[in-house]
Amino acid sequence: MLNLVWLKSFTTLVQHRRFQAAAQALGIAQPTLSQHIQKLEEQLGALLIRRSKTGCEPTKAALALMPLALSMLQLDERAREVVSGTRLRVGASSNIGIYMLQPYVSTFKNIPAVPELDLVIDNNPNIARQLTSGELDIAVMEWWHPKPGFQAMDWRQEPVVLITRPDHPYAGWHEIDRETLAGMSLLGGEPGTGTGRLLANFFGERGPFPKVSMQLGSTEAVKQAVKAGLGVSLVLAACVEEEIQAGTLCAIPVSDAALAKKLMVICPETLARQPPVSTFVSHICQ
């Protein structure tokens, strides 16, 4: 089994490229650092560092090892945090993390004796991957494929609305029905959010479906495109609250309430009833 102390010395040396600087950063003597590198090289049977008078350079083997070593050290740190309960890592898919979750994070931090909280915002597939790999304690997402060992809870039902410019012909509509929506062309947003599955369920297997033009990569990009007059789109209602209040966009509700996303909170079953995970889940679900 690889020694984590040696791996820490190795990653620090690769980052600093000088033995003296790396030893200072680690708070150890330079001969000790050299010994760690030598033992790691012997254990792996590969040269990791080429030494020179001006410094040192990682070998090809070292560059291959580096991401794995960093991942192992990160998991070691996460394990210590989970056991001690000193830090909570919460992941959120982009729309939830940007537009919905942060007020809850702010009020959670005001609860006495809760640990430090890190909020990680990324696309839904990456958040799911980080949760299953143990990098996150909790995830709040737009969709989730059930996996053994994880518990999913409903958080909130968020309606999907059609957004337009204020001077668009649809802007004065009070609502839009299924048939009219099916005949539209919509700007596409962030892939991997489950919107395609939502529309498939809403319109049925045979459709007809709205046409999707462009893939703009994020809800923020979609909003800017709509403001620029490039078209109309479907977004979660919470994502355009500020624009609606400012009058820069119009949001038209769909007459059928079935066009809404069920947002979920997911965590490992082993942590679901344990603070601080249970404390955070209770906080946002209340």
Side-chain angles (χ1 to χ4, degrees):
M1 185 176 295
L2 294 178
N3 187 305
L4 292 178
V5 175
W6 301 347
L7 287 175
K8 179 65 175 177
S9 293
F10 162 73
T11 58
T12 305
L13 180 58
V14 171
Q15 290 164 347
H16 285 79
R17 303 295 176 101
R18 286 181 174 275
F19 275 87
Q20 184 177 359
Q24 289 178 346
L26 291 165
I28 61 177
Q30 189 170 325
T32 303
L33 173 61
S34 298
Q35 187 179 49
H36 289 173
I37 301 302
Q38 181 181 355
K39 288 182 176 179
L40 185 60
E41 289 177 330
E42 291 173 354
Q43 188 175 32
L44 292 172
L47 179 68
L48 298 175
I49 301 296
R50 287 194 179 92
R51 298 152 177 84
S52 68
K53 294 180 179 180
T54 58
C56 59
E57 289 293 331
T59 64
K60 185 177 180 180
L63 294 176
L65 174 63
M66 189 67 176
L68 298 173
L70 291 172
S71 179
M72 293 171 67
L73 292 169
Q74 184 180 41
L75 282 175
D76 174 70
E77 182 180 357
R78 287 289 302 124
R80 296 175 188 277
E81 291 171 353
V82 169
V83 171
S84 65
T86 56
R87 186 172 294 274
L88 181 67
R89 286 180 60 84
V90 177
S93 58
S94 302
N95 288 331
I96 295 172
I98 295 170
Y99 301 107
M100 302 177 218
L101 193 61
Q102 298 198 41
Y104 294 92
V105 172
S106 178
T107 52
F108 178 79
K109 288 176 175 285
N110 294 328
I111 299 174
V114 297
E116 289 293 319
L117 186 149
D118 292 332
L119 177 61
V120 179
I121 301 174
D122 207 330
N123 60 49
N124 211 100
N126 280 342
I127 291 298
R129 178 189 57 76
Q130 292 178 58
L131 178 66
T132 54
S133 68
E135 298 172 54
L136 298 172
D137 300 309
I138 306 171
V140 190
M141 297 191 289
E142 296 185 34
W143 60 261
W144 166 253
H145 293 305
K147 290 180 174 61
F150 291 88
Q151 178 176 318
M153 299 151 277
D154 292 343
W155 180 39
R156 60 193 261 187
Q157 193 91 351
E158 187 65 25
V160 175
V161 295
L162 182 76
I163 59 170
T164 72
R165 272 169 54 128
D167 58 356
H168 194 278
Y170 302 158
W173 293 5
H174 295 294
E175 63 179 19
I176 184 169
D177 59 41
R178 182 192 299 254
E179 291 71 26
T180 304
L181 187 59
M184 288 185 170
S185 178
L186 305 172
L187 298 173
E190 180 182 354
T193 60
T195 300
R197 287 185 291 274
L198 177 67
L199 292 177
N201 293 333
F202 183 70
F203 290 105
E205 293 182 0
R206 297 185 179 180
F209 302 100
K211 296 179 181 178
V212 178
S213 61
M214 304 187 187
Q215 278 294 341
L216 299 175
S218 70
T219 297
E220 197 60 35
V222 166
K223 292 194 292 185
Q224 294 302 321
V226 172
K227 291 177 185 179
L230 297 180
V232 299
S233 188
L234 291 171
V235 301
L236 297 177
C239 299
V240 289
E241 289 179 352
E242 290 186 5
E243 288 81 4
I244 302 310
Q245 292 176 1
T248 56
L249 287 174
C250 293
I252 306 165
V254 180
S255 57
D256 190 333
L259 191 57
K261 279 191 180 180
K262 184 184 292 185
L263 309 182
M264 293 167 289
V265 182
I266 305 98
C267 65
E269 290 178 347
T270 53
L271 300 179
R273 298 182 182 276
Q274 303 294 327
V277 169
S278 60
T279 307
F280 183 82
V281 172
S282 297
H283 178 69
I284 69 170
C285 288
Q286 289 174 355

